[in-house]
Structures are given as structure tokens and as C-alpha cells.
């Protein structure tokens, strides 16, 4: 506390020193302030006196000034009345003009007149009642114009919905004619270029191309008329008029949104196919025409208006439509089982894609879809050719083709590439080793290649890709369709041994013809077989498998026939003595085997490989038959129901076995070494002894 008190006393002393230091200045300031107050009072008295004298002097001037102001106000009012009266007549004239324009349906001009009234005339006379009435009526007139123009737009939208198919049909026809003409010119150029290099090979194709080009020129001459556009087929003035009206009214965005919304609805309707569209090509053509017509109209609107539709909008609409189109085509095309209809659908899709591509729409996904449809087309072709193959096999007599003269011979070899120098040396009449089904099958395979090629046209693919597609589809025809038909044919009950032998002969010649089919494809596509990526035909394995199946069936049928003869054997195991000759059933069986093995001599021997193959088949069949006969006779002896055998029965059975051995030793099929065939009966001989 003492320190605090001491600190306080120190501060008090400092304060006292400071006050003493500034006291004289404070006193001087107060003195100066008192002097100023006295001078201010004197100045106030002088100002008041001066103001009083000035007011007294200006009263007369103020009175005269007020009089002048009143006169000028009256003059200005008169001038204003004259001006307003002068403005009333033009306003009334403009309003009368507006009514006249409305009556003659010149709505765009009426809007301009209204704009002049609002911006130029009415603001000058807006205080008058009749002007207020006009101002109140103008929005109503605008709404009336908007309703009328919108009604016209709705009529236009309904009209283009009805005429879309006609617009699209015209656009597709023009695109197709242009493409046909261009393709014909290109083919003609290719023919002229290839004539010197491949004159012999391309002679038929050249003539076809020249005919096509000639017809194309004729068609162009026949259809030389003015090219119709969307604007020629449809009156677009309601759209322009409505767009201008809404733009003038400041509702351009509302109009754009309404137009786009309605067109989207129409797009959904256009993209919705009929349930029976897949039944006829006309259903597809109508569907494509409507879609093309829709987008041709949108493209026209895009290029003749500013902002009503944009490229972004049309691209978005096209992408939506394209997804729907692909889904629809994928679904409806799956119902089609007619290859001709699928081919026509493909041609329509190509024209459809080319048409829209000409208007700037991307169509790559459509060509990707065509590859899916191509697989389906190949499947329908395979089904169709499966029926054709079955019909050919059913109608075949499975006998060598007889040719009575040179003309008939050339007809056959014109259909099938057959070469046999030994046969050529023989005189007519003569027989070709294959049956009638061989040239027919060969021609049908070529027709299949042509049919498959038709789908590959206009797909914007290289010759290498087309060649690869043709070979793959032909491989499917050979390895799946034809192979299946051959396997089913071989398994049919009515196909006998003779027919099976002929089938082996036929498959041999078809196998040899595979190289000619490869040449045929190469000639069509102009792609050499030496190309690294060129696929090969798998016909060799197909026909080899068919031959193996036929050979197996021959062995099976031979054994079945032997079983039939064995079943009619009626041994009397209690006979006292034998008949002195072999049993009748066995002699019939041996005669049957001899005649059967004679058929094998007709197997082709035009080269060493075929000779070895035919000999092997005959030897295997003969050995299999003898072994099966031996086993059947053995089972007859070892039958559990057989209790006893007389000596006469043993002698009779011995005569039958001797006859079998004689048959084996007579070499029914050449090529056996020594007594190889007789060994088939060795076990039976041992049992007999």
C-alpha cells in the first residue's frame, strides 16, 4: 500500500507539472475567442440589413416573372395540344392498317405494324383513352396471331408425318440411282482394265457388266427429270412463318422447344414398326422411307433456319433413332427364313445408310449390323441349300451317268470339272463314273457362292475381306450342311450296297473338285490363293468323313445281309446223312457276295491313291463278310439249345464250310496275299475236326 500511495503521489506531481506548463496557452485561447464573438455579432447585423433591403427591391421583379411564366405555360400547352392532335391521326391510320393486315392474314406484317405502334406512335399519345384501348388490344392480337400460326404449324407437322414416306422414298431412289450409275461406271473401268490381263477368265463377267452399264444409261435417260427435294414435296412456309412470328414476339425459344418436342414424338412414332413388317420387303421399305423422310426434313430445317434445330440436336435425335432402328432390325430380321427377303432387306439397309450418309448422318453402326444379318443370311442359305441337297440326293438314281454322244458329254463337263484321259479315249456311248447328283451338287455349291457374294456387295469391304467371307461361308456349306446331308443319306434304310459304293465314288470326285471351287472363288474376288491370309476350303475332310461313313455302312449292311441269310438256314441236326451238296441258303449267300464284290470294281482307279483306296475298301468288306460268316456259323454250332448233332448233320455242315473255303480261295476280291482270306474260316475248320 505504501508503494501504491507513493506511485499515486508521483503521478499527481506529474499532472500538476503538465497543467502548469499548458495553463498560459489555455488562457490566451479564451481571450482570442471572446474577440471573435464580438466581430461575428457585428457581421450578422449587417447581413440581416442587406437581405431586408434586397427583398424590398425584388418584389416587383418577382411579380413580372410570374406573369411571364403563366404566359409561357399557356403557349406550351397550346403547342402540346396541337402536337398531340397531329399524332392522333397517324395512330388511327396505323391501327386501321393493322386491322386490314389481320383480315388478309398478313400476320408477320401485322406484327411489324404493332411493333411500330408500340414503339413509335402509341407512346406519344398513350394518355388518351382510345390509345389505352389499343394498347390493351395489342396483346390479344398477338395471342391470336400466335394461335393461328401454331395451328398452321400443327397442320404442317401432320402433313409431313403423312408425307414422310414419300419424301424418304424419293431421297432413297435418287441415292440408289446415283450409286447404281457410279457402280456401273466403276465396273466398266475395271472391265476395261482387266480385259487385257484376264480376257478369257472374265469374259462372262464383262458381258454382264456391259449390259448392266447399258441398262443404267438407259434408265438415266428414261428418268431425266428435275431432281425433287424435300422443299419440292412439302410447303415449309408455315414453319418459317411461325418461327418469324415467335421470334418477333420474343418467344423463339418456346417455339423451338415445342417444335423439337413434337418432332421427337413423331420420331418415336416413325421408329415404331408394324408387327408384320418382317413378312414382306414392302414393310421394310415403308419403314425406311418414313425414317429417311423424317431426317431429310430435319436436315432441310437445319440448313434453312437459324437455331430452330442444331447439328447437336439432329445428332442426338439420330443416335436415339439409330439405336432403335438397330434393335428393330435385329428383332424382325431374326423372324425371316427366306434368304431372298434377307438379301432384299440388306439392299434396303445399304440404300438407307447411303442416303442418310449423304445428308451427313453417321451410319457405321448400320454396316456393323449388316455383318450380323450376314451371318443370319448365311444360316438361311444353309437351310435352303440343305433342302436342295436333300432333293438332289432323293432324285439321284446312283448309277453312272450315261453319255450317248459328244454333245451330252460336253454338257456334263460344262457343269462339273471332270477329267479322265482313259475315258476320253473310249468311244460313245460311254458312262461317267459319278452319278447325276455330282454335277448338280457342284453347280449348287457355285450357286451358293454366288448367293453369298450378293450379300457382300455394297458393304464397303475390300476384296480380301469378301474373299475370306466367301470361303468361310462355303466351308460351312461343305463341313456342316453337305456333310450332314451325306451322313443322313448314308444312314437311310433304302440306301443299299450299290448306292453306298456309288456314294463313295461321288464323294471322291467331289473331293477332287474342291480345288476348282477355290479357283472359282479366286476368280470372283481377284484374290490369289497364294495370299497369306487366304483361307482354304475344308471339303477334303468333309468328303473323307462321308466316305468313311459309307464304308462303315457297307460293312454293316453286308453283315446284316449275311444275318438275313443265316436266319433262313434250317439245319436238321438229326439227319442220318447229308444231301451231298452245300445248303441252298449258303449258295445264295455266296452268290450274293460274289455279285456284291463285283460292284467294287466300279470304284474310281484314275490314280494310284484311288486305286489303293478302292482296293482297301473291297478287301476290308470281303474280310469283314467272311469273318462275320465264320462267326455266325460258329455260333450256330455252339448254340446252347443244340443238344446233339448227328454224323449226317456234321457232314452237311462240313460241305457248307468247304463251300465257304472255296469262295475264299476263289479270290472274290483281288489283292489278298496267299490264303489270308481263307484264315477267316480256320477256327470253324478246327471245330469241325
Amino acid at each position: 500500500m505504501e508503494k501504491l500511495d507513493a506511485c499515486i503521489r508521483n503521478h499527481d506531481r506529474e499532472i500538476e507539472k503538465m497543467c502548469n506548463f499548458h495553463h498560459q496557452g489555455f488562457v490566451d485561447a479564451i481571450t482570442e475567442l471572446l474577440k471573435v464573438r464580438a466581430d461575428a455579432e457585428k457581421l450578422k447585423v449587417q447581413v440581416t440589413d442587406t437581405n431586408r433591403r434586397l427583398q424590398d427591391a425584388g418584389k416587383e421583379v418577382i411579380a413580372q416573372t410570374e406573369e411571364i411564366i403563366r404566359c409561357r405555360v399557356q403557349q406550351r400547352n397550346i403547342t402540346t395540344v396541337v402536337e398531340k392532335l397531329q399524332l392522333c391521326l397517324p395512330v388511327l391510320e396505323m391501327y386501321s392498317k393493322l386491322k386490314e393486315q389481320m383480315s388478309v392474314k398478313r400476320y408477320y406484317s401485322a406484327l411489324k405494324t404493332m411493333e411500330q405502334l408500340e414503339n413509335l406512335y402509341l407512346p406519344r399519345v398513350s394518355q388518351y383513352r382510345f390509345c389505352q384501348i389499343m394498347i390493351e388490344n395489342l396483346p390479344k392480337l398477338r395471342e391470336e396471331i400466335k394461335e393461328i400460326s401454331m395451328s398452321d404449324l400443327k397442320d404442317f407437322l401432320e402433313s409431313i408425318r403423312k408425307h414422310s414416306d414419300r419424301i424418304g422414298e424419293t431421297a432413297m431412289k435418287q441415292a440408289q440411282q446415283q450409286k447404281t450409275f457410279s457402280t456401273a461406271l466403276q465396273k466398266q473401268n475395271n472391265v476395261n482394265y482387266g480385259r487385257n490381263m484376264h480376257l478369257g477368265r472374265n469374259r462372262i463377267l464383262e458381258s454382264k457388266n456391259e449390259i448392266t452399264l447399258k441398262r443404267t444409261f438407259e434408265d438415266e435417260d428414261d428418268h431425266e427429270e428435275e431432281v425433287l427435294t424435300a422443299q419440292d414435296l412439302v410447303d415449309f412456309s408455315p414453319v418459317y412463318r411461325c418461327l418469324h412470328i415467335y421470334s418477333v414476339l420474343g418467344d423463339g425459344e418456346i417455339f423451338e422447344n415445342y417444335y423439337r418436342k413434337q418432332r421427337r414424338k413423331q420420331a418415336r412414332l416413325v421408329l415404331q414398326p408394324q408387327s408384320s413388317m418382317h413378312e414382306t420387303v414392302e414393310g421394310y421399305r415403308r419403314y425406311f422411307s418414313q425414317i429417311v423422310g423424317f431426317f431429310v426434313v430435319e436436315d432441310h430445317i437445319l440448313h434453312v433456319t437459324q437455331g430452330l434445330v442444331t447439328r447437336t440436336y439432329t445428332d442426338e435425335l439420330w443416335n436415339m433413332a439409330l439405336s432403335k432402328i438397330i434393335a428393330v432390325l435385329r428383332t424382325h430380321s431374326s423372324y425371316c427364313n427366306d434368304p431372298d427377303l434377307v438379301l432384299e432387306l440388306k439392299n434396303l439397309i445399304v440404300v438407307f445408310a447411303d442416303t442418310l450418309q449423304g445428308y451427313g448422318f453417321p451410319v457405321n453402326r448400320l454396316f456393323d449390323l449388316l455383318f450380323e444379318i450376314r451371318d443370319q443370311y448365311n444360316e438361311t442359305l444353309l437351310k435352303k441349300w440343305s433342302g436342295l441337297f436333300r432333293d438332289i440326293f432323293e432324285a439321284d438314281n446312283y448309277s453312272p451317268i450315261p453319255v450317248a454322244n459328244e454333245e451330252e458329254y460336253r454338257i456334263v463337263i460344262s457343269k462339273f470339272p471332270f477329267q479322265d484321259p482313259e475315258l476320253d479315249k473310249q468311244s460313245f456311248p460311254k458312262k461317267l463314273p459319278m452319278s447325276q447328283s455330282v454335277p448338280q451338287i457342284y453347280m449348287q455349291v457355285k450357286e451358293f457362292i454366288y448367293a453369298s457374294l450378293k450379300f457382300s456387295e455394297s458393304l464397303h469391304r475390300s476384296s480380301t475381306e469378301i474373299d475370306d467371307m466367301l470361303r468361310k461361308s462355303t466351308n460351312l456349306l461343305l463341313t456342316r450342311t453337305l456333310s450332314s446331308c451325306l451322313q443322313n443319306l448314308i444312314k437311310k434304310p433304302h440306301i443299299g450296297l450299290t448306292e453306298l459304293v456309288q456314294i463313295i465314288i461321288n464323294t471322291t470326285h467331289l473331293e477332287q473338285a474342291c480345288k476348282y471351287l477355290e479357283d472359282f472363288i479366286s476368280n470372283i474376288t481377284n484374290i490369289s490363293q497364294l495370299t497369306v491370309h487366304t483361307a482354304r476350303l475344308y471339303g477334303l475332310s468333309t468328303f473323307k468323313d462321308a466316305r468313311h461313313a459309307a464304308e462303315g455302312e457297307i460293312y454293316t449292311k453286308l453283315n446284316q445281309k449275311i444275318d438275313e441269310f443265316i436266319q433262313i438256314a434250317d439245319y436238321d441236326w438229326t439227319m442220318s446223312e447229308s444231301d451231298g451238296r452245300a445248303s441252298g441258303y449258303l449258295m445264295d449267300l455266296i452268290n450274293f457276295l460274289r455279285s456284291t464284290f463285283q460292284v467294287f470294281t466300279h470304284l474310281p482307279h484314275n490314280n494310284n491313291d484311288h486305286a489303293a483306296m478302292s482296293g482297301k475298301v473291297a478287301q476290308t468288306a470281303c474280310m469283314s463278310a467272311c469273318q462275320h460268316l465264320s462267326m455266325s456259323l460258329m455260333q450256330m454250332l455252339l448254340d446252347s439249345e443244340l443238344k446233339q448233332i448227328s454224323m449226317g448233320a456234321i457232314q452237311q455242315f462240313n460241305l457248307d464250310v468247304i463251300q465257304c473255303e472255296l469262295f475264299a480261295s476263289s479270290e472274290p476280291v483281288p489283292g489278298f496275299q496267299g490264303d489270308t482270306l481263307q484264315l477267316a474260316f480256320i477256327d470253324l475248320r478246327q471245330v469241325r475236326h
Side-chain angles (χ1 to χ4, degrees), residues 165 172 269-274 277 281-293 321 324-329 352:
D165 54 346
M172 291 176 68
L269 291 176
V270 167
L271 295 172
Q272 188 64 33
Q274 296 182 352
M277 183 179 72
V281 69
E282 289 302 322
Y284 288 109
R285 181 176 286 109
R286 192 179 306 109
Y287 179 70
F288 288 135
S289 297
Q290 290 177 349
I291 296 174
V292 170
K324 178 66 175 177
I325 292 168
I326 290 175
V328 167
L329 293 178
F352 172 74

mmCIF file of all heavy atoms in Angstrom, residues 165 172 269-274 277 281-293 321 324-329 352:
data_model
loop_
_atom_site.group_PDB
_atom_site.id
_atom_site.type_symbol
_atom_site.label_atom_id
_atom_site.label_comp_id
_atom_site.label_asym_id
_atom_site.label_seq_id
_atom_site.Cartn_x
_atom_site.Cartn_y
_atom_site.Cartn_z
ATOM 1 N N ASP A 165 -42.993 -40.763 -95.842
ATOM 2 C CA ASP A 165 -42.617 -41.931 -96.641
ATOM 3 C C ASP A 165 -42.351 -41.543 -98.093
ATOM 4 O O ASP A 165 -41.430 -42.064 -98.730
ATOM 5 C CB ASP A 165 -43.699 -43.006 -96.555
ATOM 6 C CG ASP A 165 -45.069 -42.475 -96.932
ATOM 7 O OD1 ASP A 165 -45.229 -41.235 -96.992
ATOM 8 O OD2 ASP A 165 -45.981 -43.302 -97.157
ATOM 9 N N MET A 172 -34.323 -41.891 -101.269
ATOM 10 C CA MET A 172 -33.656 -43.181 -101.428
ATOM 11 C C MET A 172 -33.530 -43.555 -102.897
ATOM 12 O O MET A 172 -32.522 -44.125 -103.324
ATOM 13 C CB MET A 172 -34.430 -44.257 -100.661
ATOM 14 C CG MET A 172 -34.365 -44.106 -99.149
ATOM 15 S SD MET A 172 -35.383 -45.301 -98.259
ATOM 16 C CE MET A 172 -34.505 -46.829 -98.632
ATOM 17 N N LEU A 269 -42.934 -42.306 -83.204
ATOM 18 C CA LEU A 269 -43.983 -42.977 -83.981
ATOM 19 C C LEU A 269 -43.403 -43.586 -85.261
ATOM 20 O O LEU A 269 -43.760 -44.707 -85.648
ATOM 21 C CB LEU A 269 -45.083 -41.979 -84.331
ATOM 22 C CG LEU A 269 -45.938 -41.468 -83.166
ATOM 23 C CD1 LEU A 269 -46.921 -40.413 -83.648
ATOM 24 C CD2 LEU A 269 -46.685 -42.616 -82.494
ATOM 25 N N VAL A 270 -42.525 -42.832 -85.910
ATOM 26 C CA VAL A 270 -41.920 -43.322 -87.152
ATOM 27 C C VAL A 270 -41.064 -44.553 -86.885
ATOM 28 O O VAL A 270 -41.032 -45.499 -87.685
ATOM 29 C CB VAL A 270 -41.082 -42.206 -87.803
ATOM 30 C CG1 VAL A 270 -40.194 -42.764 -88.903
ATOM 31 C CG2 VAL A 270 -41.994 -41.139 -88.381
ATOM 32 N N LEU A 271 -40.377 -44.550 -85.751
ATOM 33 C CA LEU A 271 -39.467 -45.647 -85.429
ATOM 34 C C LEU A 271 -40.183 -46.881 -84.931
ATOM 35 O O LEU A 271 -39.564 -47.933 -84.784
ATOM 36 C CB LEU A 271 -38.455 -45.189 -84.370
ATOM 37 C CG LEU A 271 -37.487 -44.088 -84.815
ATOM 38 C CD1 LEU A 271 -36.685 -43.581 -83.633
ATOM 39 C CD2 LEU A 271 -36.563 -44.603 -85.893
ATOM 40 N N GLN A 272 -41.483 -46.766 -84.668
ATOM 41 C CA GLN A 272 -42.241 -47.922 -84.196
ATOM 42 C C GLN A 272 -42.707 -48.737 -85.405
ATOM 43 O O GLN A 272 -43.541 -48.275 -86.174
ATOM 44 C CB GLN A 272 -43.440 -47.453 -83.368
ATOM 45 C CG GLN A 272 -44.184 -48.572 -82.663
ATOM 46 C CD GLN A 272 -43.323 -49.268 -81.618
ATOM 47 O OE1 GLN A 272 -42.485 -48.641 -80.983
ATOM 48 N NE2 GLN A 272 -43.533 -50.546 -81.435
ATOM 49 N N PRO A 273 -42.197 -49.938 -85.601
ATOM 50 C CA PRO A 273 -42.553 -50.705 -86.808
ATOM 51 C C PRO A 273 -43.891 -51.426 -86.638
ATOM 52 O O PRO A 273 -44.394 -51.604 -85.523
ATOM 53 C CB PRO A 273 -41.409 -51.711 -86.906
ATOM 54 C CG PRO A 273 -41.041 -51.975 -85.480
ATOM 55 C CD PRO A 273 -41.240 -50.668 -84.738
ATOM 56 N N GLN A 274 -44.423 -51.830 -87.772
ATOM 57 C CA GLN A 274 -45.610 -52.681 -87.737
ATOM 58 C C GLN A 274 -45.206 -54.105 -87.347
ATOM 59 O O GLN A 274 -44.101 -54.558 -87.636
ATOM 60 C CB GLN A 274 -46.294 -52.693 -89.099
ATOM 61 C CG GLN A 274 -46.847 -51.342 -89.526
ATOM 62 C CD GLN A 274 -47.562 -51.402 -90.859
ATOM 63 O OE1 GLN A 274 -47.526 -52.425 -91.543
ATOM 64 N NE2 GLN A 274 -48.206 -50.322 -91.239
ATOM 65 N N MET A 277 -44.031 -56.331 -90.203
ATOM 66 C CA MET A 277 -43.058 -55.726 -91.115
ATOM 67 C C MET A 277 -42.128 -56.760 -91.713
ATOM 68 O O MET A 277 -41.713 -56.654 -92.873
ATOM 69 C CB MET A 277 -42.258 -54.660 -90.369
ATOM 70 C CG MET A 277 -41.256 -53.915 -91.240
ATOM 71 S SD MET A 277 -40.332 -52.644 -90.347
ATOM 72 C CE MET A 277 -39.259 -53.665 -89.335
ATOM 73 N N VAL A 281 -40.980 -57.361 -98.069
ATOM 74 C CA VAL A 281 -39.968 -56.319 -98.243
ATOM 75 C C VAL A 281 -40.616 -54.947 -98.277
ATOM 76 O O VAL A 281 -39.988 -53.934 -97.925
ATOM 77 C CB VAL A 281 -39.170 -56.584 -99.537
ATOM 78 C CG1 VAL A 281 -40.045 -56.362 -100.767
ATOM 79 C CG2 VAL A 281 -37.939 -55.698 -99.598
ATOM 80 N N GLU A 282 -41.892 -54.873 -98.666
ATOM 81 C CA GLU A 282 -42.582 -53.589 -98.693
ATOM 82 C C GLU A 282 -42.718 -53.017 -97.293
ATOM 83 O O GLU A 282 -42.705 -51.797 -97.108
ATOM 84 C CB GLU A 282 -43.968 -53.741 -99.342
ATOM 85 C CG GLU A 282 -43.918 -53.981 -100.842
ATOM 86 C CD GLU A 282 -43.206 -52.863 -101.575
ATOM 87 O OE1 GLU A 282 -43.382 -51.690 -101.170
ATOM 88 O OE2 GLU A 282 -42.472 -53.158 -102.530
ATOM 89 N N GLY A 283 -42.876 -53.881 -96.301
ATOM 90 C CA GLY A 283 -42.955 -53.409 -94.923
ATOM 91 C C GLY A 283 -41.663 -52.731 -94.505
ATOM 92 O O GLY A 283 -41.677 -51.645 -93.897
ATOM 93 N N TYR A 284 -40.532 -53.339 -94.843
ATOM 94 C CA TYR A 284 -39.243 -52.723 -94.537
ATOM 95 C C TYR A 284 -39.051 -51.436 -95.332
ATOM 96 O O TYR A 284 -38.539 -50.434 -94.815
ATOM 97 C CB TYR A 284 -38.101 -53.688 -94.856
ATOM 98 C CG TYR A 284 -37.970 -54.840 -93.900
ATOM 99 C CD1 TYR A 284 -38.300 -56.136 -94.283
ATOM 100 C CD2 TYR A 284 -37.508 -54.641 -92.600
ATOM 101 C CE1 TYR A 284 -38.174 -57.209 -93.405
ATOM 102 C CE2 TYR A 284 -37.367 -55.698 -91.716
ATOM 103 C CZ TYR A 284 -37.709 -56.980 -92.126
ATOM 104 O OH TYR A 284 -37.581 -58.026 -91.255
ATOM 105 N N ARG A 285 -39.451 -51.449 -96.623
ATOM 106 C CA ARG A 285 -39.245 -50.265 -97.457
ATOM 107 C C ARG A 285 -40.052 -49.082 -96.920
ATOM 108 O O ARG A 285 -39.553 -47.948 -96.867
ATOM 109 C CB ARG A 285 -39.659 -50.575 -98.900
ATOM 110 C CG ARG A 285 -39.456 -49.394 -99.837
ATOM 111 C CD ARG A 285 -39.769 -49.738 -101.276
ATOM 112 N NE ARG A 285 -38.729 -50.580 -101.864
ATOM 113 C CZ ARG A 285 -38.873 -51.853 -102.160
ATOM 114 N NH1 ARG A 285 -40.029 -52.462 -101.933
ATOM 115 N NH2 ARG A 285 -37.887 -52.547 -102.696
ATOM 116 N N ARG A 286 -41.286 -49.332 -96.503
ATOM 117 C CA ARG A 286 -42.107 -48.262 -95.944
ATOM 118 C C ARG A 286 -41.494 -47.728 -94.651
ATOM 119 O O ARG A 286 -41.469 -46.517 -94.390
ATOM 120 C CB ARG A 286 -43.522 -48.777 -95.681
ATOM 121 C CG ARG A 286 -44.530 -47.678 -95.372
ATOM 122 C CD ARG A 286 -45.921 -48.246 -95.155
ATOM 123 N NE ARG A 286 -46.337 -49.071 -96.274
ATOM 124 C CZ ARG A 286 -46.447 -50.402 -96.214
ATOM 125 N NH1 ARG A 286 -46.166 -51.038 -95.086
ATOM 126 N NH2 ARG A 286 -46.846 -51.082 -97.266
ATOM 127 N N TYR A 287 -40.963 -48.633 -93.843
ATOM 128 C CA TYR A 287 -40.346 -48.241 -92.569
ATOM 129 C C TYR A 287 -39.121 -47.357 -92.821
ATOM 130 O O TYR A 287 -38.974 -46.286 -92.209
ATOM 131 C CB TYR A 287 -39.944 -49.512 -91.812
ATOM 132 C CG TYR A 287 -39.272 -49.288 -90.482
ATOM 133 C CD1 TYR A 287 -39.982 -48.785 -89.399
ATOM 134 C CD2 TYR A 287 -37.925 -49.589 -90.303
ATOM 135 C CE1 TYR A 287 -39.371 -48.589 -88.173
ATOM 136 C CE2 TYR A 287 -37.299 -49.399 -89.079
ATOM 137 C CZ TYR A 287 -38.031 -48.903 -88.025
ATOM 138 O OH TYR A 287 -37.418 -48.718 -86.810
ATOM 139 N N PHE A 288 -38.260 -47.774 -93.741
ATOM 140 C CA PHE A 288 -37.064 -46.986 -94.046
ATOM 141 C C PHE A 288 -37.425 -45.650 -94.691
ATOM 142 O O PHE A 288 -36.805 -44.620 -94.403
ATOM 143 C CB PHE A 288 -36.132 -47.770 -94.968
ATOM 144 C CG PHE A 288 -35.442 -48.918 -94.292
ATOM 145 C CD1 PHE A 288 -35.349 -50.163 -94.899
ATOM 146 C CD2 PHE A 288 -34.891 -48.767 -93.041
ATOM 147 C CE1 PHE A 288 -34.714 -51.219 -94.275
ATOM 148 C CE2 PHE A 288 -34.246 -49.813 -92.406
ATOM 149 C CZ PHE A 288 -34.169 -51.046 -93.023
ATOM 150 N N SER A 289 -38.426 -45.652 -95.574
ATOM 151 C CA SER A 289 -38.819 -44.413 -96.257
ATOM 152 C C SER A 289 -39.307 -43.373 -95.258
ATOM 153 O O SER A 289 -38.975 -42.179 -95.366
ATOM 154 C CB SER A 289 -39.913 -44.709 -97.297
ATOM 155 O OG SER A 289 -39.439 -45.574 -98.301
ATOM 156 N N GLN A 290 -40.090 -43.793 -94.286
ATOM 157 C CA GLN A 290 -40.586 -42.851 -93.288
ATOM 158 C C GLN A 290 -39.439 -42.258 -92.476
ATOM 159 O O GLN A 290 -39.420 -41.056 -92.185
ATOM 160 C CB GLN A 290 -41.574 -43.555 -92.358
ATOM 161 C CG GLN A 290 -42.890 -43.917 -93.031
ATOM 162 C CD GLN A 290 -43.811 -44.683 -92.105
ATOM 163 O OE1 GLN A 290 -43.416 -45.134 -91.033
ATOM 164 N NE2 GLN A 290 -45.056 -44.838 -92.500
ATOM 165 N N ILE A 291 -38.469 -43.091 -92.099
ATOM 166 C CA ILE A 291 -37.340 -42.598 -91.306
ATOM 167 C C ILE A 291 -36.494 -41.635 -92.137
ATOM 168 O O ILE A 291 -36.105 -40.557 -91.661
ATOM 169 C CB ILE A 291 -36.492 -43.768 -90.799
ATOM 170 C CG1 ILE A 291 -37.318 -44.647 -89.846
ATOM 171 C CG2 ILE A 291 -35.242 -43.266 -90.090
ATOM 172 C CD1 ILE A 291 -36.613 -45.905 -89.413
ATOM 173 N N VAL A 292 -36.194 -42.014 -93.387
ATOM 174 C CA VAL A 292 -35.408 -41.132 -94.245
ATOM 175 C C VAL A 292 -36.140 -39.811 -94.451
ATOM 176 O O VAL A 292 -35.536 -38.730 -94.365
ATOM 177 C CB VAL A 292 -35.119 -41.811 -95.597
ATOM 178 C CG1 VAL A 292 -34.521 -40.819 -96.577
ATOM 179 C CG2 VAL A 292 -34.173 -42.983 -95.411
ATOM 180 N N GLY A 293 -37.448 -39.889 -94.707
ATOM 181 C CA GLY A 293 -38.231 -38.668 -94.884
ATOM 182 C C GLY A 293 -38.167 -37.762 -93.672
ATOM 183 O O GLY A 293 -38.039 -36.534 -93.790
ATOM 184 N N ALA A 321 -32.479 -42.550 -82.676
ATOM 185 C CA ALA A 321 -33.182 -43.297 -83.718
ATOM 186 C C ALA A 321 -32.364 -44.499 -84.175
ATOM 187 O O ALA A 321 -32.907 -45.587 -84.404
ATOM 188 C CB ALA A 321 -33.484 -42.382 -84.901
ATOM 189 N N LYS A 324 -32.668 -47.410 -81.883
ATOM 190 C CA LYS A 324 -33.983 -48.034 -82.035
ATOM 191 C C LYS A 324 -34.060 -48.822 -83.344
ATOM 192 O O LYS A 324 -34.586 -49.951 -83.377
ATOM 193 C CB LYS A 324 -35.062 -46.949 -82.000
ATOM 194 C CG LYS A 324 -36.478 -47.461 -82.195
ATOM 195 C CD LYS A 324 -36.936 -48.343 -81.046
ATOM 196 C CE LYS A 324 -38.391 -48.736 -81.207
ATOM 197 N NZ LYS A 324 -38.843 -49.646 -80.138
ATOM 198 N N ILE A 325 -33.531 -48.244 -84.429
ATOM 199 C CA ILE A 325 -33.566 -48.915 -85.735
ATOM 200 C C ILE A 325 -32.811 -50.232 -85.672
ATOM 201 O O ILE A 325 -33.281 -51.264 -86.163
ATOM 202 C CB ILE A 325 -32.966 -47.991 -86.812
ATOM 203 C CG1 ILE A 325 -33.866 -46.781 -87.040
ATOM 204 C CG2 ILE A 325 -32.764 -48.746 -88.123
ATOM 205 C CD1 ILE A 325 -33.223 -45.694 -87.867
ATOM 206 N N ILE A 326 -31.633 -50.216 -85.065
ATOM 207 C CA ILE A 326 -30.813 -51.431 -84.986
ATOM 208 C C ILE A 326 -31.538 -52.497 -84.167
ATOM 209 O O ILE A 326 -31.567 -53.678 -84.542
ATOM 210 C CB ILE A 326 -29.445 -51.096 -84.371
ATOM 211 C CG1 ILE A 326 -28.626 -50.258 -85.367
ATOM 212 C CG2 ILE A 326 -28.684 -52.362 -84.009
ATOM 213 C CD1 ILE A 326 -27.305 -49.766 -84.816
ATOM 214 N N ALA A 327 -32.151 -52.085 -83.061
ATOM 215 C CA ALA A 327 -32.891 -53.054 -82.237
ATOM 216 C C ALA A 327 -34.062 -53.641 -83.014
ATOM 217 O O ALA A 327 -34.326 -54.851 -82.963
ATOM 218 C CB ALA A 327 -33.371 -52.379 -80.954
ATOM 219 N N VAL A 328 -34.781 -52.788 -83.756
ATOM 220 C CA VAL A 328 -35.938 -53.256 -84.533
ATOM 221 C C VAL A 328 -35.490 -54.215 -85.630
ATOM 222 O O VAL A 328 -36.074 -55.294 -85.818
ATOM 223 C CB VAL A 328 -36.682 -52.045 -85.140
ATOM 224 C CG1 VAL A 328 -37.684 -52.507 -86.198
ATOM 225 C CG2 VAL A 328 -37.410 -51.278 -84.054
ATOM 226 N N LEU A 329 -34.444 -53.844 -86.364
ATOM 227 C CA LEU A 329 -33.979 -54.696 -87.461
ATOM 228 C C LEU A 329 -33.423 -56.009 -86.933
ATOM 229 O O LEU A 329 -33.626 -57.067 -87.541
ATOM 230 C CB LEU A 329 -32.914 -53.968 -88.270
ATOM 231 C CG LEU A 329 -33.400 -52.748 -89.058
ATOM 232 C CD1 LEU A 329 -32.240 -52.086 -89.778
ATOM 233 C CD2 LEU A 329 -34.479 -53.141 -90.055
ATOM 234 N N PHE A 352 -30.605 -47.250 -97.558
ATOM 235 C CA PHE A 352 -30.992 -46.419 -96.423
ATOM 236 C C PHE A 352 -29.765 -45.739 -95.811
ATOM 237 O O PHE A 352 -29.750 -44.517 -95.569
ATOM 238 C CB PHE A 352 -31.704 -47.305 -95.393
ATOM 239 C CG PHE A 352 -32.002 -46.639 -94.082
ATOM 240 C CD1 PHE A 352 -33.011 -45.698 -93.980
ATOM 241 C CD2 PHE A 352 -31.277 -46.961 -92.944
ATOM 242 C CE1 PHE A 352 -33.291 -45.082 -92.766
ATOM 243 C CE2 PHE A 352 -31.547 -46.363 -91.730
ATOM 244 C CZ PHE A 352 -32.564 -45.412 -91.641
#
